[in-house]
Amino acid sequence: MLNILEKATQINSVSGSENEIRKFISDNVKKYCDELSVDAMGNLIAHKKGSGKKIMFAAHMDEIGIIVTDIDDKGFVRFSSVGGLNLRNLVNLRVRFASDVEGVIGAEEESFKDKPAISKLYVDLGAADKKEAEKIVSIGDTASFVGGFVKCGDNVVSKALDNRVGCAILMQALSEIKDCENDLYFVFTTQEEVGLRGAKTAAFAINPYIAVAVDVTDTGDTPSAPTMAIELGKGTAIKVMDRSIMCDADVRTMMIETAKKNKIPYQLEIMTDGGTDAGAIHLTRAGIKTGGISVPTRYVHSPSEMASVSDIENSVKLLYNIAIAQW
């Protein structure tokens, strides 16, 4: 599974440009499902047919990044954000465009220190002037951050663990499910980082009995971290609430009972800042009973996100047992 995760994280697919990661996932799951389709929003939907309850699992494929908005006369590229970015952490980071061209983010130093603003940042492509830069990138091109995949103790570190780790969990669970009565939909969604958009349309079309969104969550186990009862290596996290949802109590209870029954270490997650696809799914149609599986992750929305291998493995076990359970 870690091999799949490594390959998935190193694919560059910023929100709205999910073609490459969608193809990678499609190539790896098509033999494990009965139907594979792509909807108008670009969501990849893997359907494993069954006669029982219709259950939807969702993990977003897209990642944060930047989009080119202007190129000045000296060849420096101005940009806007795609997803939530911490401006102070961007200076001196490298970005990679779809063409594999890389650049370095710089800042108008003094004015940026006084009042951080994305308008004070630029990408240096090493171009001599505007004409040369325009041969490399165009207005509207997107770029992801550069961050290799490495093992760090019992953890993995990479860019785009948010949320390629969720995608890898869905892929692994799908590959392990042989015979199952439930009617299962594994949905790899688009544009989560810019407004939970793909999940909303996919949930409307599928209209499941229940849904479970799989994503990352922050932790409270680093020096000076905000108070949060989530730690790396202590188990998968079962979502109670975040800024976008109060998870359905019946679904949450079933998830907890499933974890206990199968001796899967788990934590209860309350995330006061941020949300996941669950927020869009549960408000679709007349409402959908929705829960969440979260992978504890440090340094979210950076090129060096860190997650525990055991937490990832336990997330797969929980999702698998939810999928095959009698609802």
Side-chain angles (χ1 to χ4, degrees), residues 36-310:
L36 194 62
S37 61
V38 179
D39 66 14
M41 282 293 293
N43 298 305
L44 178 66
I45 304 171
H47 183 195
K48 196 171 185 65
K49 294 181 180 180
S51 59
K53 297 293 187 182
K54 188 184 294 186
I55 303 176
M56 171 181 169
F57 298 101
H60 70 88
M61 298 183 288
D62 57 315
E63 63 185 296
I64 59 170
I66 63 171
I67 186 167
V68 176
T69 58
D70 187 49
I71 303 172
D72 69 21
D73 291 339
K74 293 185 177 181
F76 293 108
V77 174
R78 300 293 180 163
F79 61 89
S80 185
S81 64
V82 180
L85 304 180
N86 185 329
L87 298 184
R88 292 187 182 277
N89 292 340
L90 297 186
V91 181
N92 300 331
L93 292 184
R94 285 184 294 161
V95 294
R96 181 180 293 122
F97 292 87
S99 61
D100 282 337
V101 169
E102 293 190 12
V104 179
I105 295 178
E108 300 174 17
E109 290 291 346
E110 294 306 317
S111 58
F112 184 80
K113 289 178 182 177
D114 293 339
K115 189 176 181 180
I118 201 165
S119 61
K120 305 298 182 183
L121 298 173
Y122 57 85
V123 176
D124 185 348
L125 297 172
D129 53 30
K130 182 174 184 176
K131 186 175 181 180
E132 185 176 332
E134 287 178 333
K135 294 178 182 178
I136 303 172
V137 299
S138 301
I139 305 301
D141 284 354
T142 57
S144 61
F145 296 99
V146 176
F149 186 96
V150 297
K151 287 292 295 295
C152 189
D154 295 325
N155 308 317
V156 291
V157 176
S158 179
K159 81 170 184 71
L161 283 180
D162 179 13
N163 184 37
R164 304 294 161 70
V165 69
C167 294
I169 288 166
L170 262 64
M171 294 165 71
Q172 182 64 31
L174 176 57
S175 73
E176 294 178 5
I177 296 170
K178 306 306 178 186
D179 297 313
C180 179
E181 184 176 308
N182 293 321
D183 195 28
L184 304 177
Y185 288 81
F186 292 78
V187 185
F188 303 89
T189 66
T190 59
Q191 299 188 39
E192 188 269 356
E193 297 289 3
V194 291
L196 317 180
R197 296 170 185 172
K200 184 175 183 179
T201 59
F204 187 94
I206 295 169
N207 192 23
Y209 173 69
I210 66 158
V212 177
V214 184
D215 209 326
V216 302
T217 186
D218 291 323
T219 69
D221 60 352
T222 57
S224 300
T227 302
M228 186 180 185
I230 295 291
E231 300 181 45
L232 250 62
K234 295 296 180 69
T236 185
I238 296 173
K239 186 180 293 291
V240 177
M241 64 165 283
D242 61 34
R243 197 171 59 187
S244 67
I245 186 174
M246 298 288 294
C247 288
D248 181 84
D250 292 336
V251 174
R252 184 175 71 248
T253 298
M254 175 60 167
M255 292 172 69
I256 292 171
E257 290 176 349
T258 300
K260 289 179 177 178
K261 178 181 177 181
N262 293 280
K263 298 180 180 179
I264 300 169
Y266 73 92
Q267 308 172 73
L268 295 178
E269 176 214 359
I270 297 176
M271 185 167 65
T272 58
D273 186 22
T276 70
D277 277 339
I281 295 170
H282 84 292
L283 294 176
T284 301
R285 289 182 177 261
I288 295 171
K289 289 179 174 290
T290 304
I293 294 175
S294 299
V295 179
T297 305
R298 295 174 182 163
Y299 323 120
V300 173
H301 280 204
S302 82
S304 300
E305 296 170 331
M306 178 185 289
S308 161
V309 173
S310 65

